[in-house]
PDB file of all heavy atoms in Angstrom:
ATOM      1  N   ASP B 272      34.501 120.673 123.345  1.00 94.00           N
ATOM      2  CA  ASP B 272      35.262 121.758 123.966  1.00 94.00           C
ATOM      3  C   ASP B 272      36.681 121.276 124.226  1.00 94.00           C
ATOM      4  O   ASP B 272      36.883 120.182 124.775  1.00 94.00           O
ATOM      5  CB  ASP B 272      34.635 122.168 125.298  1.00 94.00           C
ATOM      6  CG  ASP B 272      33.339 122.946 125.124  1.00 94.00           C
ATOM      7  OD1 ASP B 272      33.005 123.290 123.981  1.00 94.00           O
ATOM      8  OD2 ASP B 272      32.670 123.201 126.146  1.00 94.00           O
ATOM      9  N   PRO B 273      37.687 122.059 123.861  1.00 94.00           N
ATOM     10  CA  PRO B 273      39.065 121.652 124.153  1.00 94.00           C
ATOM     11  C   PRO B 273      39.365 121.842 125.635  1.00 94.00           C
ATOM     12  O   PRO B 273      38.641 122.567 126.335  1.00 94.00           O
ATOM     13  CB  PRO B 273      39.896 122.604 123.294  1.00 94.00           C
ATOM     14  CG  PRO B 273      39.049 123.838 123.204  1.00 94.00           C
ATOM     15  CD  PRO B 273      37.626 123.360 123.174  1.00 94.00           C
ATOM     16  N   PRO B 274      40.427 121.231 126.149  1.00 93.00           N
ATOM     17  CA  PRO B 274      40.818 121.498 127.540  1.00 93.00           C
ATOM     18  C   PRO B 274      41.058 122.990 127.748  1.00 93.00           C
ATOM     19  O   PRO B 274      41.655 123.655 126.905  1.00 93.00           O
ATOM     20  CB  PRO B 274      42.131 120.701 127.702  1.00 93.00           C
ATOM     21  CG  PRO B 274      42.061 119.627 126.651  1.00 93.00           C
ATOM     22  CD  PRO B 274      41.307 120.235 125.506  1.00 93.00           C
ATOM     23  N   ARG B 275      40.543 123.515 128.861  1.00 91.00           N
ATOM     24  CA  ARG B 275      40.701 124.923 129.219  1.00 91.00           C
ATOM     25  C   ARG B 275      40.085 125.865 128.187  1.00 91.00           C
ATOM     26  O   ARG B 275      40.563 126.981 127.976  1.00 91.00           O
ATOM     27  CB  ARG B 275      42.179 125.269 129.448  1.00 91.00           C
ATOM     28  CG  ARG B 275      42.810 124.482 130.591  1.00 91.00           C
ATOM     29  CD  ARG B 275      44.277 124.807 130.779  1.00 91.00           C
ATOM     30  NE  ARG B 275      45.084 124.346 129.660  1.00 91.00           N
ATOM     31  CZ  ARG B 275      45.489 123.086 129.482  1.00 91.00           C
ATOM     32  NH1 ARG B 275      45.147 122.157 130.366  1.00 91.00           N
ATOM     33  NH2 ARG B 275      46.232 122.748 128.453  1.00 91.00           N
ATOM     34  N   GLY B 276      39.012 125.399 127.525  1.00 93.00           N
ATOM     35  CA  GLY B 276      38.334 126.234 126.548  1.00 93.00           C
ATOM     36  C   GLY B 276      36.859 125.918 126.467  1.00 93.00           C
ATOM     37  O   GLY B 276      36.412 124.844 126.886  1.00 93.00           O
ATOM     38  N   VAL B 277      36.070 126.860 125.925  1.00 94.00           N
ATOM     39  CA  VAL B 277      34.615 126.693 125.808  1.00 94.00           C
ATOM     40  C   VAL B 277      34.149 127.168 124.439  1.00 94.00           C
ATOM     41  O   VAL B 277      34.510 128.274 124.004  1.00 94.00           O
ATOM     42  CB  VAL B 277      33.869 127.492 126.904  1.00 94.00           C
ATOM     43  CG1 VAL B 277      32.359 127.395 126.719  1.00 94.00           C
ATOM     44  CG2 VAL B 277      34.275 127.020 128.290  1.00 94.00           C
ATOM     45  N   ILE B 278      33.364 126.342 123.748  1.00 95.00           N
ATOM     46  CA  ILE B 278      32.663 126.738 122.528  1.00 95.00           C
ATOM     47  C   ILE B 278      31.228 127.038 122.925  1.00 95.00           C
ATOM     48  O   ILE B 278      30.487 126.139 123.327  1.00 95.00           O
ATOM     49  CB  ILE B 278      32.687 125.616 121.473  1.00 95.00           C
ATOM     50  CG1 ILE B 278      34.129 125.228 121.134  1.00 95.00           C
ATOM     51  CG2 ILE B 278      31.930 126.039 120.216  1.00 95.00           C
ATOM     52  CD1 ILE B 278      34.228 123.965 120.266  1.00 95.00           C
ATOM     53  N   GLU B 279      30.832 128.307 122.863  1.00 94.00           N
ATOM     54  CA  GLU B 279      29.450 128.647 123.206  1.00 94.00           C
ATOM     55  C   GLU B 279      28.515 128.104 122.130  1.00 94.00           C
ATOM     56  O   GLU B 279      28.817 128.181 120.928  1.00 94.00           O
ATOM     57  CB  GLU B 279      29.285 130.160 123.334  1.00 94.00           C
ATOM     58  CG  GLU B 279      29.923 130.747 124.583  1.00 94.00           C
ATOM     59  CD  GLU B 279      29.206 130.320 125.856  1.00 94.00           C
ATOM     60  OE1 GLU B 279      27.992 130.074 125.809  1.00 94.00           O
ATOM     61  OE2 GLU B 279      29.882 130.225 126.912  1.00 94.00           O
ATOM     62  N   ARG B 280      27.365 127.569 122.554  1.00 95.00           N
ATOM     63  CA  ARG B 280      26.475 126.885 121.626  1.00 95.00           C
ATOM     64  C   ARG B 280      25.020 127.297 121.815  1.00 95.00           C
ATOM     65  O   ARG B 280      24.619 127.720 122.908  1.00 95.00           O
ATOM     66  CB  ARG B 280      26.588 125.362 121.824  1.00 95.00           C
ATOM     67  CG  ARG B 280      28.028 124.831 121.738  1.00 95.00           C
ATOM     68  CD  ARG B 280      28.104 123.381 122.186  1.00 95.00           C
ATOM     69  NE  ARG B 280      29.478 122.941 122.372  1.00 95.00           N
ATOM     70  CZ  ARG B 280      30.241 122.387 121.433  1.00 95.00           C
ATOM     71  NH1 ARG B 280      29.751 122.199 120.220  1.00 95.00           N
ATOM     72  NH2 ARG B 280      31.483 122.017 121.700  1.00 95.00           N
ATOM     73  N   GLU B 281      24.253 127.109 120.738  1.00 92.00           N
ATOM     74  CA  GLU B 281      22.803 127.273 120.782  1.00 92.00           C
ATOM     75  C   GLU B 281      22.181 125.884 120.950  1.00 92.00           C
ATOM     76  O   GLU B 281      22.873 124.918 121.298  1.00 92.00           O
ATOM     77  CB  GLU B 281      22.318 127.921 119.482  1.00 92.00           C
ATOM     78  CG  GLU B 281      22.865 129.332 119.277  1.00 92.00           C
ATOM     79  CD  GLU B 281      22.424 129.935 117.965  1.00 92.00           C
ATOM     80  OE1 GLU B 281      22.542 129.254 116.919  1.00 92.00           O
ATOM     81  OE2 GLU B 281      21.965 131.071 117.991  1.00 92.00           O
ATOM     82  N   ALA B 282      20.887 125.802 120.691  1.00 85.00           N
ATOM     83  CA  ALA B 282      20.210 124.508 120.736  1.00 85.00           C
ATOM     84  C   ALA B 282      20.863 123.547 119.756  1.00 85.00           C
ATOM     85  O   ALA B 282      21.384 123.944 118.714  1.00 85.00           O
ATOM     86  CB  ALA B 282      18.725 124.692 120.406  1.00 85.00           C
ATOM     87  N   GLN B 283      20.838 122.274 120.084  1.00 86.00           N
ATOM     88  CA  GLN B 283      21.456 121.226 119.280  1.00 86.00           C
ATOM     89  C   GLN B 283      22.973 121.390 119.132  1.00 86.00           C
ATOM     90  O   GLN B 283      23.591 120.813 118.238  1.00 86.00           O
ATOM     91  CB  GLN B 283      20.835 121.124 117.868  1.00 86.00           C
ATOM     92  CG  GLN B 283      19.408 120.570 117.847  1.00 86.00           C
ATOM     93  CD  GLN B 283      18.382 121.608 118.242  1.00 86.00           C
ATOM     94  OE1 GLN B 283      18.395 122.722 117.722  1.00 86.00           O
ATOM     95  NE2 GLN B 283      17.502 121.265 119.165  1.00 86.00           N
ATOM     96  N   GLY B 284      23.548 122.211 120.004  1.00 92.00           N
ATOM     97  CA  GLY B 284      24.997 122.321 120.036  1.00 92.00           C
ATOM     98  C   GLY B 284      25.619 123.171 118.954  1.00 92.00           C
ATOM     99  O   GLY B 284      26.851 123.196 118.801  1.00 92.00           O
ATOM    100  N   VAL B 285      24.826 123.887 118.173  1.00 93.00           N
ATOM    101  CA  VAL B 285      25.352 124.704 117.078  1.00 93.00           C
ATOM    102  C   VAL B 285      26.175 125.857 117.651  1.00 93.00           C
ATOM    103  O   VAL B 285      25.686 126.613 118.497  1.00 93.00           O
ATOM    104  CB  VAL B 285      24.206 125.249 116.204  1.00 93.00           C
ATOM    105  CG1 VAL B 285      24.762 126.179 115.134  1.00 93.00           C
ATOM    106  CG2 VAL B 285      23.422 124.103 115.584  1.00 93.00           C
ATOM    107  N   PRO B 286      27.428 126.041 117.218  1.00 95.00           N
ATOM    108  CA  PRO B 286      28.263 127.121 117.757  1.00 95.00           C
ATOM    109  C   PRO B 286      27.693 128.504 117.440  1.00 95.00           C
ATOM    110  O   PRO B 286      27.263 128.771 116.312  1.00 95.00           O
ATOM    111  CB  PRO B 286      29.609 126.918 117.063  1.00 95.00           C
ATOM    112  CG  PRO B 286      29.616 125.478 116.639  1.00 95.00           C
ATOM    113  CD  PRO B 286      28.195 125.161 116.306  1.00 95.00           C
ATOM    114  N   THR B 287      27.699 129.356 118.441  1.00 95.00           N
ATOM    115  CA  THR B 287      27.251 130.750 118.237  1.00 95.00           C
ATOM    116  C   THR B 287      28.330 131.599 117.589  1.00 95.00           C
ATOM    117  O   THR B 287      28.071 132.730 117.181  1.00 95.00           O
ATOM    118  CB  THR B 287      26.891 131.402 119.581  1.00 95.00           C
ATOM    119  OG1 THR B 287      28.088 131.539 120.369  1.00 95.00           O
ATOM    120  CG2 THR B 287      25.865 130.577 120.343  1.00 95.00           C
ATOM    121  N   GLY B 288      29.544 131.059 117.549  1.00 93.00           N
ATOM    122  CA  GLY B 288      30.688 131.815 117.059  1.00 93.00           C
ATOM    123  C   GLY B 288      31.568 132.335 118.171  1.00 93.00           C
ATOM    124  O   GLY B 288      32.695 132.780 117.924  1.00 93.00           O
ATOM    125  N   LEU B 289      31.070 132.314 119.419  1.00 95.00           N
ATOM    126  CA  LEU B 289      31.847 132.802 120.554  1.00 95.00           C
ATOM    127  C   LEU B 289      32.728 131.674 121.081  1.00 95.00           C
ATOM    128  O   LEU B 289      32.238 130.618 121.503  1.00 95.00           O
ATOM    129  CB  LEU B 289      30.927 133.316 121.658  1.00 95.00           C
ATOM    130  CG  LEU B 289      31.615 133.915 122.888  1.00 95.00           C
ATOM    131  CD1 LEU B 289      32.487 135.111 122.486  1.00 95.00           C
ATOM    132  CD2 LEU B 289      30.597 134.327 123.945  1.00 95.00           C
ATOM    133  N   LEU B 290      34.031 131.911 121.071  1.00 95.00           N
ATOM    134  CA  LEU B 290      35.024 130.929 121.504  1.00 95.00           C
ATOM    135  C   LEU B 290      35.804 131.505 122.673  1.00 95.00           C
ATOM    136  O   LEU B 290      36.376 132.593 122.564  1.00 95.00           O
ATOM    137  CB  LEU B 290      35.976 130.587 120.353  1.00 95.00           C
ATOM    138  CG  LEU B 290      35.310 130.189 119.036  1.00 95.00           C
ATOM    139  CD1 LEU B 290      36.336 130.114 117.910  1.00 95.00           C
ATOM    140  CD2 LEU B 290      34.582 128.852 119.196  1.00 95.00           C
ATOM    141  N   LYS B 291      35.830 130.782 123.787  1.00 94.00           N
ATOM    142  CA  LYS B 291      36.465 131.294 124.994  1.00 94.00           C
ATOM    143  C   LYS B 291      37.759 130.548 125.306  1.00 94.00           C
ATOM    144  O   LYS B 291      37.849 129.327 125.155  1.00 94.00           O
ATOM    145  CB  LYS B 291      35.509 131.186 126.189  1.00 94.00           C
ATOM    146  CG  LYS B 291      34.240 132.010 126.051  1.00 94.00           C
ATOM    147  CD  LYS B 291      33.381 131.905 127.304  1.00 94.00           C
ATOM    148  CE  LYS B 291      32.131 132.782 127.206  1.00 94.00           C
ATOM    149  NZ  LYS B 291      31.318 132.741 128.451  1.00 94.00           N
ATOM    150  N   GLU B 292      38.754 131.308 125.752  1.00 91.00           N
ATOM    151  CA  GLU B 292      40.040 130.783 126.202  1.00 91.00           C
ATOM    152  C   GLU B 292      40.671 129.868 125.146  1.00 91.00           C
ATOM    153  O   GLU B 292      40.810 130.271 124.009  1.00 91.00           O
ATOM    154  CB  GLU B 292      39.878 130.089 127.565  1.00 91.00           C
ATOM    155  CG  GLU B 292      39.206 130.962 128.620  1.00 91.00           C
ATOM    156  CD  GLU B 292      39.939 132.271 128.920  1.00 91.00           C
ATOM    157  OE1 GLU B 292      41.122 132.403 128.592  1.00 91.00           O
ATOM    158  OE2 GLU B 292      39.295 133.194 129.464  1.00 91.00           O
ATOM    159  N   ALA B 293      41.032 128.622 125.498  1.00 93.00           N
ATOM    160  CA  ALA B 293      41.755 127.757 124.557  1.00 93.00           C
ATOM    161  C   ALA B 293      40.955 127.436 123.304  1.00 93.00           C
ATOM    162  O   ALA B 293      41.541 127.091 122.262  1.00 93.00           O
ATOM    163  CB  ALA B 293      42.159 126.459 125.259  1.00 93.00           C
ATOM    164  N   ALA B 294      39.625 127.555 123.366  1.00 94.00           N
ATOM    165  CA  ALA B 294      38.803 127.290 122.171  1.00 94.00           C
ATOM    166  C   ALA B 294      39.090 128.305 121.067  1.00 94.00           C
ATOM    167  O   ALA B 294      38.857 128.021 119.881  1.00 94.00           O
ATOM    168  CB  ALA B 294      37.321 127.314 122.543  1.00 94.00           C
ATOM    169  N   ARG B 295      39.606 129.462 121.409  1.00 94.00           N
ATOM    170  CA  ARG B 295      39.957 130.462 120.395  1.00 94.00           C
ATOM    171  C   ARG B 295      40.956 129.893 119.378  1.00 94.00           C
ATOM    172  O   ARG B 295      40.913 130.231 118.196  1.00 94.00           O
ATOM    173  CB  ARG B 295      40.581 131.702 121.051  1.00 94.00           C
ATOM    174  CG  ARG B 295      39.691 132.468 121.977  1.00 94.00           C
ATOM    175  CD  ARG B 295      40.435 133.657 122.606  1.00 94.00           C
ATOM    176  NE  ARG B 295      41.017 134.500 121.568  1.00 94.00           N
ATOM    177  CZ  ARG B 295      42.338 134.668 121.388  1.00 94.00           C
ATOM    178  NH1 ARG B 295      43.206 134.054 122.160  1.00 94.00           N
ATOM    179  NH2 ARG B 295      42.772 135.454 120.422  1.00 94.00           N
ATOM    180  N   GLN B 296      41.875 129.054 119.861  1.00 94.00           N
ATOM    181  CA  GLN B 296      42.940 128.556 118.992  1.00 94.00           C
ATOM    182  C   GLN B 296      42.417 127.664 117.872  1.00 94.00           C
ATOM    183  O   GLN B 296      43.107 127.466 116.868  1.00 94.00           O
ATOM    184  CB  GLN B 296      43.977 127.795 119.821  1.00 94.00           C
ATOM    185  CG  GLN B 296      44.739 128.679 120.801  1.00 94.00           C
ATOM    186  CD  GLN B 296      45.418 129.852 120.104  1.00 94.00           C
ATOM    187  OE1 GLN B 296      46.019 129.697 119.043  1.00 94.00           O
ATOM    188  NE2 GLN B 296      45.316 131.031 120.704  1.00 94.00           N
ATOM    189  N   LEU B 297      41.209 127.138 118.017  1.00 96.00           N
ATOM    190  CA  LEU B 297      40.623 126.321 116.947  1.00 96.00           C
ATOM    191  C   LEU B 297      40.541 127.113 115.646  1.00 96.00           C
ATOM    192  O   LEU B 297      40.683 126.558 114.545  1.00 96.00           O
ATOM    193  CB  LEU B 297      39.230 125.842 117.360  1.00 96.00           C
ATOM    194  CG  LEU B 297      39.152 124.903 118.581  1.00 96.00           C
ATOM    195  CD1 LEU B 297      37.700 124.684 118.979  1.00 96.00           C
ATOM    196  CD2 LEU B 297      39.851 123.588 118.286  1.00 96.00           C
ATOM    197  N   VAL B 298      40.330 128.421 115.765  1.00 95.00           N
ATOM    198  CA  VAL B 298      40.195 129.281 114.586  1.00 95.00           C
ATOM    199  C   VAL B 298      41.400 130.206 114.422  1.00 95.00           C
ATOM    200  O   VAL B 298      41.924 130.374 113.319  1.00 95.00           O
ATOM    201  CB  VAL B 298      38.904 130.118 114.681  1.00 95.00           C
ATOM    202  CG1 VAL B 298      38.819 131.115 113.536  1.00 95.00           C
ATOM    203  CG2 VAL B 298      37.675 129.207 114.675  1.00 95.00           C
ATOM    204  N   VAL B 299      41.867 130.787 115.515  1.00 93.00           N
ATOM    205  CA  VAL B 299      42.952 131.777 115.448  1.00 93.00           C
ATOM    206  C   VAL B 299      44.209 131.185 114.811  1.00 93.00           C
ATOM    207  O   VAL B 299      44.958 131.883 114.113  1.00 93.00           O
ATOM    208  CB  VAL B 299      43.251 132.328 116.862  1.00 93.00           C
ATOM    209  CG1 VAL B 299      44.513 133.169 116.875  1.00 93.00           C
ATOM    210  CG2 VAL B 299      42.066 133.152 117.362  1.00 93.00           C
ATOM    211  N   ARG B 300      44.431 129.886 115.012  1.00 94.00           N
ATOM    212  CA  ARG B 300      45.631 129.254 114.447  1.00 94.00           C
ATOM    213  C   ARG B 300      45.670 129.308 112.924  1.00 94.00           C
ATOM    214  O   ARG B 300      46.740 129.147 112.323  1.00 94.00           O
ATOM    215  CB  ARG B 300      45.697 127.788 114.903  1.00 94.00           C
ATOM    216  CG  ARG B 300      44.526 126.944 114.406  1.00 94.00           C
ATOM    217  CD  ARG B 300      44.541 125.523 114.948  1.00 94.00           C
ATOM    218  NE  ARG B 300      43.328 124.791 114.570  1.00 94.00           N
ATOM    219  CZ  ARG B 300      43.140 124.210 113.407  1.00 94.00           C
ATOM    220  NH1 ARG B 300      44.103 124.244 112.488  1.00 94.00           N
ATOM    221  NH2 ARG B 300      42.012 123.583 113.125  1.00 94.00           N
ATOM    222  N   LEU B 301      44.523 129.550 112.294  1.00 95.00           N
ATOM    223  CA  LEU B 301      44.465 129.586 110.830  1.00 95.00           C
ATOM    224  C   LEU B 301      44.804 130.959 110.255  1.00 95.00           C
ATOM    225  O   LEU B 301      45.034 131.081 109.051  1.00 95.00           O
ATOM    226  CB  LEU B 301      43.071 129.170 110.357  1.00 95.00           C
ATOM    227  CG  LEU B 301      42.608 127.763 110.751  1.00 95.00           C
ATOM    228  CD1 LEU B 301      41.193 127.512 110.234  1.00 95.00           C
ATOM    229  CD2 LEU B 301      43.566 126.704 110.223  1.00 95.00           C
ATOM    230  N   ILE B 302      44.818 131.985 111.088  1.00 93.00           N
ATOM    231  CA  ILE B 302      45.140 133.335 110.590  1.00 93.00           C
ATOM    232  C   ILE B 302      46.606 133.359 110.171  1.00 93.00           C
ATOM    233  O   ILE B 302      47.480 132.925 110.925  1.00 93.00           O
ATOM    234  CB  ILE B 302      44.880 134.388 111.675  1.00 93.00           C
ATOM    235  CG1 ILE B 302      43.397 134.376 112.082  1.00 93.00           C
ATOM    236  CG2 ILE B 302      45.282 135.781 111.195  1.00 93.00           C
ATOM    237  CD1 ILE B 302      43.078 135.253 113.269  1.00 93.00           C
ATOM    238  N   PRO B 303      46.906 133.817 108.966  1.00 92.00           N
ATOM    239  CA  PRO B 303      48.297 133.828 108.500  1.00 92.00           C
ATOM    240  C   PRO B 303      49.218 134.582 109.456  1.00 92.00           C
ATOM    241  O   PRO B 303      48.870 135.639 109.970  1.00 92.00           O
ATOM    242  CB  PRO B 303      48.202 134.538 107.138  1.00 92.00           C
ATOM    243  CG  PRO B 303      46.796 134.306 106.693  1.00 92.00           C
ATOM    244  CD  PRO B 303      45.969 134.302 107.938  1.00 92.00           C
ATOM    245  N   GLU B 304      50.408 133.993 109.683  1.00 91.00           N
ATOM    246  CA  GLU B 304      51.386 134.611 110.576  1.00 91.00           C
ATOM    247  C   GLU B 304      52.006 135.848 109.918  1.00 91.00           C
ATOM    248  O   GLU B 304      52.198 135.879 108.711  1.00 91.00           O
ATOM    249  CB  GLU B 304      52.498 133.613 110.915  1.00 91.00           C
ATOM    250  CG  GLU B 304      52.057 132.462 111.809  1.00 91.00           C
ATOM    251  CD  GLU B 304      51.823 132.903 113.238  1.00 91.00           C
ATOM    252  OE1 GLU B 304      52.414 133.931 113.661  1.00 91.00           O
ATOM    253  OE2 GLU B 304      51.041 132.235 113.939  1.00 91.00           O
ATOM    254  N   PRO B 305      52.334 136.850 110.711  1.00 93.00           N
ATOM    255  CA  PRO B 305      53.032 138.019 110.143  1.00 93.00           C
ATOM    256  C   PRO B 305      54.446 137.635 109.719  1.00 93.00           C
ATOM    257  O   PRO B 305      55.037 136.683 110.257  1.00 93.00           O
ATOM    258  CB  PRO B 305      53.052 139.018 111.298  1.00 93.00           C
ATOM    259  CG  PRO B 305      52.960 138.166 112.532  1.00 93.00           C
ATOM    260  CD  PRO B 305      52.102 136.991 112.155  1.00 93.00           C
ATOM    261  N   THR B 306      55.003 138.357 108.784  1.00 94.00           N
ATOM    262  CA  THR B 306      56.371 138.103 108.345  1.00 94.00           C
ATOM    263  C   THR B 306      57.355 138.675 109.364  1.00 94.00           C
ATOM    264  O   THR B 306      56.974 139.468 110.236  1.00 94.00           O
ATOM    265  CB  THR B 306      56.631 138.754 106.981  1.00 94.00           C
ATOM    266  OG1 THR B 306      56.562 140.183 107.139  1.00 94.00           O
ATOM    267  CG2 THR B 306      55.604 138.312 105.951  1.00 94.00           C
ATOM    268  N   VAL B 307      58.609 138.268 109.231  1.00 95.00           N
ATOM    269  CA  VAL B 307      59.650 138.803 110.108  1.00 95.00           C
ATOM    270  C   VAL B 307      59.743 140.321 109.955  1.00 95.00           C
ATOM    271  O   VAL B 307      59.904 141.053 110.932  1.00 95.00           O
ATOM    272  CB  VAL B 307      61.002 138.128 109.806  1.00 95.00           C
ATOM    273  CG1 VAL B 307      62.138 138.836 110.548  1.00 95.00           C
ATOM    274  CG2 VAL B 307      60.953 136.653 110.192  1.00 95.00           C
ATOM    275  N   ALA B 308      59.618 140.787 108.712  1.00 94.00           N
ATOM    276  CA  ALA B 308      59.657 142.238 108.468  1.00 94.00           C
ATOM    277  C   ALA B 308      58.488 142.931 109.150  1.00 94.00           C
ATOM    278  O   ALA B 308      58.643 144.035 109.710  1.00 94.00           O
ATOM    279  CB  ALA B 308      59.639 142.516 106.968  1.00 94.00           C
ATOM    280  N   ASP B 309      57.307 142.301 109.129  1.00 93.00           N
ATOM    281  CA  ASP B 309      56.135 142.873 109.804  1.00 93.00           C
ATOM    282  C   ASP B 309      56.392 143.000 111.312  1.00 93.00           C
ATOM    283  O   ASP B 309      56.085 144.028 111.931  1.00 93.00           O
ATOM    284  CB  ASP B 309      54.900 141.997 109.584  1.00 93.00           C
ATOM    285  CG  ASP B 309      54.388 142.057 108.152  1.00 93.00           C
ATOM    286  OD1 ASP B 309      54.661 143.061 107.467  1.00 93.00           O
ATOM    287  OD2 ASP B 309      53.724 141.087 107.731  1.00 93.00           O
ATOM    288  N   ILE B 310      56.952 141.938 111.893  1.00 95.00           N
ATOM    289  CA  ILE B 310      57.201 141.928 113.337  1.00 95.00           C
ATOM    290  C   ILE B 310      58.233 142.991 113.706  1.00 95.00           C
ATOM    291  O   ILE B 310      58.070 143.724 114.688  1.00 95.00           O
ATOM    292  CB  ILE B 310      57.662 140.537 113.799  1.00 95.00           C
ATOM    293  CG1 ILE B 310      56.538 139.513 113.588  1.00 95.00           C
ATOM    294  CG2 ILE B 310      58.075 140.563 115.262  1.00 95.00           C
ATOM    295  CD1 ILE B 310      56.959 138.078 113.852  1.00 95.00           C
ATOM    296  N   ALA B 311      59.295 143.085 112.909  1.00 95.00           N
ATOM    297  CA  ALA B 311      60.330 144.089 113.186  1.00 95.00           C
ATOM    298  C   ALA B 311      59.743 145.491 113.134  1.00 95.00           C
ATOM    299  O   ALA B 311      60.071 146.349 113.969  1.00 95.00           O
ATOM    300  CB  ALA B 311      61.470 143.946 112.181  1.00 95.00           C
ATOM    301  N   ARG B 312      58.867 145.725 112.172  1.00 94.00           N
ATOM    302  CA  ARG B 312      58.224 147.034 112.058  1.00 94.00           C
ATOM    303  C   ARG B 312      57.337 147.313 113.269  1.00 94.00           C
ATOM    304  O   ARG B 312      57.334 148.425 113.810  1.00 94.00           O
ATOM    305  CB  ARG B 312      57.414 147.103 110.763  1.00 94.00           C
ATOM    306  CG  ARG B 312      56.780 148.475 110.526  1.00 94.00           C
ATOM    307  CD  ARG B 312      56.189 148.591 109.129  1.00 94.00           C
ATOM    308  NE  ARG B 312      55.179 147.579 108.869  1.00 94.00           N
ATOM    309  CZ  ARG B 312      55.360 146.516 108.072  1.00 94.00           C
ATOM    310  NH1 ARG B 312      56.514 146.355 107.443  1.00 94.00           N
ATOM    311  NH2 ARG B 312      54.402 145.636 107.882  1.00 94.00           N
ATOM    312  N   ARG B 313      56.613 146.282 113.732  1.00 94.00           N
ATOM    313  CA  ARG B 313      55.743 146.477 114.890  1.00 94.00           C
ATOM    314  C   ARG B 313      56.552 146.746 116.161  1.00 94.00           C
ATOM    315  O   ARG B 313      56.157 147.573 117.001  1.00 94.00           O
ATOM    316  CB  ARG B 313      54.837 145.257 115.103  1.00 94.00           C
ATOM    317  CG  ARG B 313      53.790 145.024 114.024  1.00 94.00           C
ATOM    318  CD  ARG B 313      52.933 146.260 113.761  1.00 94.00           C
ATOM    319  NE  ARG B 313      52.098 146.615 114.881  1.00 94.00           N
ATOM    320  CZ  ARG B 313      50.848 146.165 115.069  1.00 94.00           C
ATOM    321  NH1 ARG B 313      50.307 145.335 114.189  1.00 94.00           N
ATOM    322  NH2 ARG B 313      50.146 146.539 116.108  1.00 94.00           N
ATOM    323  N   ILE B 314      57.677 146.054 116.318  1.00 96.00           N
ATOM    324  CA  ILE B 314      58.534 146.305 117.481  1.00 96.00           C
ATOM    325  C   ILE B 314      58.994 147.755 117.485  1.00 96.00           C
ATOM    326  O   ILE B 314      58.946 148.441 118.510  1.00 96.00           O
ATOM    327  CB  ILE B 314      59.729 145.341 117.503  1.00 96.00           C
ATOM    328  CG1 ILE B 314      59.250 143.914 117.829  1.00 96.00           C
ATOM    329  CG2 ILE B 314      60.777 145.795 118.522  1.00 96.00           C
ATOM    330  CD1 ILE B 314      60.343 142.859 117.722  1.00 96.00           C
ATOM    331  N   ASP B 315      59.409 148.235 116.326  1.00 95.00           N
ATOM    332  CA  ASP B 315      59.861 149.620 116.232  1.00 95.00           C
ATOM    333  C   ASP B 315      58.715 150.592 116.528  1.00 95.00           C
ATOM    334  O   ASP B 315      58.865 151.537 117.312  1.00 95.00           O
ATOM    335  CB  ASP B 315      60.431 149.894 114.838  1.00 95.00           C
ATOM    336  CG  ASP B 315      60.956 151.320 114.707  1.00 95.00           C
ATOM    337  OD1 ASP B 315      61.928 151.669 115.395  1.00 95.00           O
ATOM    338  OD2 ASP B 315      60.375 152.093 113.917  1.00 95.00           O
ATOM    339  N   GLU B 316      57.543 150.352 115.934  1.00 95.00           N
ATOM    340  CA  GLU B 316      56.401 151.240 116.139  1.00 95.00           C
ATOM    341  C   GLU B 316      55.952 151.253 117.595  1.00 95.00           C
ATOM    342  O   GLU B 316      55.692 152.317 118.171  1.00 95.00           O
ATOM    343  CB  GLU B 316      55.236 150.795 115.242  1.00 95.00           C
ATOM    344  CG  GLU B 316      55.468 151.010 113.755  1.00 95.00           C
ATOM    345  CD  GLU B 316      54.373 150.367 112.906  1.00 95.00           C
ATOM    346  OE1 GLU B 316      53.517 149.657 113.488  1.00 95.00           O
ATOM    347  OE2 GLU B 316      54.370 150.569 111.679  1.00 95.00           O
TER     348      GLU B 316
END
């Protein structure tokens, strides 16, 4: 478990897929970042 985060687990420590707080970043950091054009469009919308 990272500091300020929790990886929910089953028996033998197998992750259930539920990631809490800072543990989310273990996976979320891999999602491709939006482009500058995407962000500008979202700000306008």
